[in-house]
Amino acid sequence: MDLTGRFTREDAIRWAPLMVLIALVILFTAINPQFLSLRNFARITVAAAPALMVAVGVTFIILMGSIDLSMEGVLSFTAVLFCYAFVKFGGTLAAGGWIALPLILLVGAVVGMINGLIHVKLRIPSFMASLAMGFVATGATVLLTGGGIVKIDDDVFRGLLTYRLLGFPLMVYVAGIFVLIAWFIQTRTTLGRNFYAVGGGEELAHASGLNVKRVRVAGFTLAGVFYAVAAILQVAKLGQAESVTGANFMFISITSVVVGGVALWGGVGGVWNALVGVLIVNVINNGMVVIGLPDYVQDGMLGLLVIIAVVLSTDRRAVTVVK
């Protein structure tokens, strides 16, 4: 609100995603009361958990005014490597498979760092560098698997999906913990503040003495860690990994971030926006299934939602050229 206590346009933009989420829940519940059940909410959160990790990772990139399109390839690559490592170190968490967990987070960080270095050192636009990196990761995944599937049969690890606490699987709580970690990085660390500084004006940030290239590489590295977390959760959900494990995560994650209120030009939004956006997308997908609408209608609605979100969040009076 402004100094007079009036609800401003900026307030409307800030709260619009949350209001949309609430309205969608009310709408689908009115159409089918089963939508509001605990079982259905658990189903929504399970579907949302891996996508949320990807969305949080790409949020850091978008806050800097860049874009990352590598998530599908990186997710598939880290998921397959995780399965191989898990089996190699014993096949169960108790036998040593737990070593695969920190190992794959490290792999995700390295892949993200390489992605960032290609972007800043070779001065290649982030969307092109990351898209190429995604293709490389997908190709490496196919090479590793030979087009096959790698499975994990450990009941303890699969407990992330099967064991429930207060009606929700453990993987939902794991995702929640990493959201809190991301929020802490965003709001309580110098790196998080630097993301906003770069996104708010790279030239100004550089003039103030900030090492913009280092911040960008750090952002891509951090995103890679969250993609690896998404891979672990996706493997826990499916019990397997293959070259298409990361399919559709690009559209879902970027759509969620934009719909949640993170500005594509950088410097606006954050982790909670990504969370709300992911819930909006998954509520729409789930709600349309509950009321019996076909898949192509869901895709059309999501596309329309992206356009509306961008229109509402863009101050076209301040934009002279649309690129």
Side-chain angles (χ1 to χ4, degrees), residues 244-319:
V244 295
T245 297
N248 297 323
F249 275 93
M250 182 191 301
F251 175 77
I252 292 174
S253 60
I254 295 180
T255 296
S256 299
V257 170
V258 173
V259 168
V262 180
L264 287 173
W265 57 86
V268 177
V271 171
W272 298 121
N273 297 88
L275 172 61
V276 172
V278 168
L279 290 177
I280 288 174
V281 170
N282 281 274
V283 162
I284 289 175
N285 285 337
N286 179 273
M288 290 189 174
V289 170
V290 169
I291 64 178
L293 292 180
D295 292 342
Y296 65 85
V297 176
Q298 299 176 34
D299 294 338
M301 285 297 296
L302 289 176
L304 182 61
L305 191 59
V306 171
I307 295 174
I308 294 173
V310 174
V311 169
L312 292 177
S313 63
T314 302
D315 187 357
R316 284 167 298 282
R317 295 170 300 179
V319 178

Side-chain angles (χ1 to χ4, degrees), residues 57-58 60-62 64-70 74 108-120 124-127 129-131 133 191 195 213-227:
V58 80
F60 291 123
I61 306 298
I62 295 178
M64 297 186 295
S66 298
I67 194 70
D68 188 358
L69 304 179
S70 68
V74 175
V110 171
V111 173
M113 182 177 65
I114 294 172
N115 200 359
L117 287 172
I118 292 173
H119 166 45
V120 302
I124 300 175
S126 58
F127 81 92
S130 60
L131 184 63
M133 193 65 180
L191 180 61
F195 289 152
K213 291 183 178 180
R214 184 178 298 173
V215 172
R216 288 196 182 279
V217 173
F220 278 93
T221 302
L222 187 59
V225 173
F226 278 91
Y227 299 163

